[in-house]
């Protein structure tokens, strides 16, 4: 099968929602990333299922893109099929203070929408960028709480090895099967989250809104949100007796704020943010990540683990 045939088949499946050699810098929050061979934006689960089955059948690697935050794509880009879930962005209220939302819905929009519905619970996640699917996969959270306790069920397409023509089937998973832990979950290998049902509460909406506003204002003051960034680069680290070592604080104490490699820079505002000052490459960012890990290890004997996902190929 030639690349041209692949392109024709994908075009036949999704029309002009297919693009060849699409620069991923246009789809990541830090505005960095080489090109995807094939880039598609399915509009519903049926289309997504068809695309995934096609990829398996044709031995084409596939990648799922949510909001493109917390994700660094190397400069050589991604071989195969990149699927954005940006059209999976609906949300609707269900009986019993529950809400159903699509995996591609940006979490900040879901937080605001649920408060407008008079429902509380999600405001503890104010300030986390990214889409719902990614937030569930990594059990996103802040000091105030994480998403796991709110998840009633997750709908996903799960790969079964029966036949490649129907490799994926729709399944619903509960929190027990997802085995949430700090910043992680255990989804079946190759599973693609399409949406979730969250259980919220009819609590004190005014208090929740005030909390939301105050976190939002604090975040605007403390994070470099006016520059392209990756969100938090590293996870915070749990120490003994419930002590938390905050990555941002460690980086500040190691005197790394403001350090630059190429056009990438450790933010002066928040140590756990790397910003793109214009034209930064993934290689610049990776050099900074390496530098931070080395210096923090040297200084505090703490090994910082990236919270971001690093994918794709290097350039030669
Ligand atoms: N701090 C410093 N220097 C810095 C930055 C932070 O000393 O340069 C200190 C702060 O003073 C504070 C502590 O470190 O005492 C924690 O900082 P912050 O309140 O900014 O929270 P964080 O743990 O760095 C977390 C999430 C963010 C989320 C905020 C909302 C993680 C790894 N990150 O940040 O999520 O926006 O809480 O308050 O848990 C993301 O996940 O991408 C993300 C941006």
């Amino acid at each position: 099968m030639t690349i041209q045939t692949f392109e024709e088949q994908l075009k036949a499946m999704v029309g002009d929602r297919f693009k060849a050699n699409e620069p991923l810098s246009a789809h990541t929050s830090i505005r960095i990333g080489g090109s995807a061979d094939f880039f598609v934006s399915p509009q519903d689960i049926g289309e997504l299922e068809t695309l995934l089955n096609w990829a398996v059948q044709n031995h084409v690697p596939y990648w799922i893109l949510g909001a493109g935050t917390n994700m660094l794509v190397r400069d050589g880009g991604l071989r195969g099929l990149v699927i954005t879930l940006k059209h999976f962005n609906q949300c609707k209220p269900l009986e019993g203070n529950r809400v159903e939302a699509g995996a591609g819905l940006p979490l900040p929009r879901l937080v605001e929408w649920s408060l407008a519905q008079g429902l509380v619970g999600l405001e503890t996640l104010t300030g986390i960028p990214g889409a719902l699917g990614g937030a569930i996969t990594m059990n996103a959270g802040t000091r105030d709480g994480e998403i796991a306790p709110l998840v009633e069920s997750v709908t996903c397409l799960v790969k079964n090895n029966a036949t490649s023509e129907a490799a994926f089937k729709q399944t619903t998973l509960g929190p027990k099967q997802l085995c949430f832990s700090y910043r992680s979950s255990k989804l079946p290998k190759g599973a693609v989250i399409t949406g979730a049902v969250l259980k919220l509460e009819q609590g004190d909406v005014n208090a929740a809104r005030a909390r939301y506003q105050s976190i939002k204002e604090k975040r605007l003051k403390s994070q470099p949100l006016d520059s392209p960034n990756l969100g938090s680069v590293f996870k915070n680290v749990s120490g003994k007796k419930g002590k938390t070592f905050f990555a941002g604080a460690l980086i500040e104490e190691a005197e790394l704020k403001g350090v630059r490699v190429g056009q990438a820079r450790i933010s002066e505002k928040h140590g756990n943010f790397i910003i793109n000052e214009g034209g930064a490459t993934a290689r610049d960012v990776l050099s900074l990540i390496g530098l931070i890990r080395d210096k923090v290890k040297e200084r505090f004997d703490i090994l910082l683990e990236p919270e971001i996902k690093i994918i794709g190929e290097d350039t030669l």
Side-chain angles (χ1 to χ4, degrees):
M1 203 79 75
T2 63
I3 298 252
Q4 207 181 351
T5 317
F6 280 159
E7 291 183 4
E8 279 159 16
Q9 291 179 343
L10 287 164
K11 214 171 233 165
M13 279 184 251
V14 295
D16 58 7
R17 283 176 289 102
F18 160 72
K19 287 176 181 166
N21 299 315
E22 175 70 358
L24 292 170
S25 52
H27 302 277
T28 54
S29 61
I30 193 161
R31 301 277 171 254
I32 289 176
S35 297
D37 292 340
F38 314 120
F39 185 87
V40 286
S41 38
Q43 56 186 1
D44 55 40
I45 295 182
E47 226 170 60
L48 174 63
E49 195 173 343
T50 306
L51 286 162
L52 289 168
N53 285 333
W54 174 89
V56 171
Q57 231 175 317
N58 291 288
H59 309 285
V60 173
Y62 60 88
W63 310 84
I64 306 295
L65 201 66
T69 59
N70 286 112
M71 174 179 270
L72 181 66
V73 180
R74 292 193 185 86
D75 303 309
L78 290 173
R79 304 291 67 81
L81 179 68
V82 174
I83 304 172
T84 168
L85 296 184
K86 70 175 182 188
H87 295 304
F88 289 63
N89 60 354
Q90 306 80 4
C91 48
K92 66 171 189 207
L94 300 177
E95 256 175 29
N97 304 326
R98 298 172 312 138
V99 299
E100 187 178 352
L105 183 69
L107 204 54
R109 264 179 53 201
L110 181 58
V111 174
E112 282 180 30
W113 176 84
S114 60
L115 284 173
Q117 299 291 312
L119 295 170
V120 308
L122 271 168
E123 69 287 351
T124 53
L125 304 179
T126 304
I128 298 181
L132 178 63
I136 291 175
T137 308
M138 62 171 293
N139 185 17
T142 65
R143 271 185 283 177
D144 298 323
E146 49 190 25
I147 200 162
L150 305 175
V151 177
E152 178 176 296
S153 63
V154 167
T155 48
C156 43
L157 287 167
V158 175
K159 199 163 157 220
N160 65 36
N161 294 321
T163 61
S164 54
E165 298 89 61
F168 281 85
K169 68 168 200 279
Q170 291 184 37
T171 311
T172 302
L173 301 173
K176 275 205 183 118
Q177 290 148 301
L178 292 164
C179 301
F180 288 115
S181 58
Y182 177 68
R183 299 298 165 268
S184 86
S185 69
K186 283 203 182 107
L187 271 175
K189 198 167 178 283
V192 178
I193 296 184
T194 55
V197 174
L198 305 177
K199 19 175 222 271
L200 306 179
E201 277 171 32
Q202 239 165 20
D204 185 343
V205 180
N206 287 335
R209 222 174 251 138
R211 201 160 158 208
Y212 162 79
Q213 272 308 335
S214 103
I215 300 176
K216 218 173 144 187
E217 278 157 29
K218 193 181 140 222
R219 191 170 169 251
L220 275 171
K221 272 192 208 133
S222 67
Q223 300 180 357
L225 301 179
D226 46 357
S227 301
N229 67 76
L230 287 163
S232 299
V233 176
F234 296 100
K235 298 177 191 176
N236 292 327
V237 182
S238 314
K240 283 180 191 146
K241 295 183 187 158
K243 183 173 165 52
T244 301
F245 295 99
F246 293 105
L250 295 172
I251 294 165
E252 176 166 342
E253 280 173 51
E255 293 168 55
L256 289 167
K257 278 178 148 183
V259 172
R260 193 186 263 128
V261 172
Q263 295 302 312
R265 188 172 198 194
I266 303 171
S267 167
E268 304 267 14
K269 250 189 179 176
H270 196 300
N272 202 14
F273 277 70
I274 291 177
I275 58 171
N276 177 359
E277 294 195 308
T281 61
R283 193 171 280 201
D284 295 339
V285 175
L286 288 167
S287 299
L288 276 180
I289 288 176
L291 180 80
I292 293 171
R293 293 187 89 190
D294 288 351
K295 292 276 181 212
V296 169
K297 175 82 177 79
E298 198 179 293
R299 188 107 176 227
F300 308 106
D301 198 24
I302 291 174
L303 188 60
L304 288 176
E305 288 291 334
E307 174 173 293
I308 57 164
K309 215 165 139 194
I310 302 165
I311 55 173
E313 291 181 0
D314 247 328
T315 41
L316 292 176

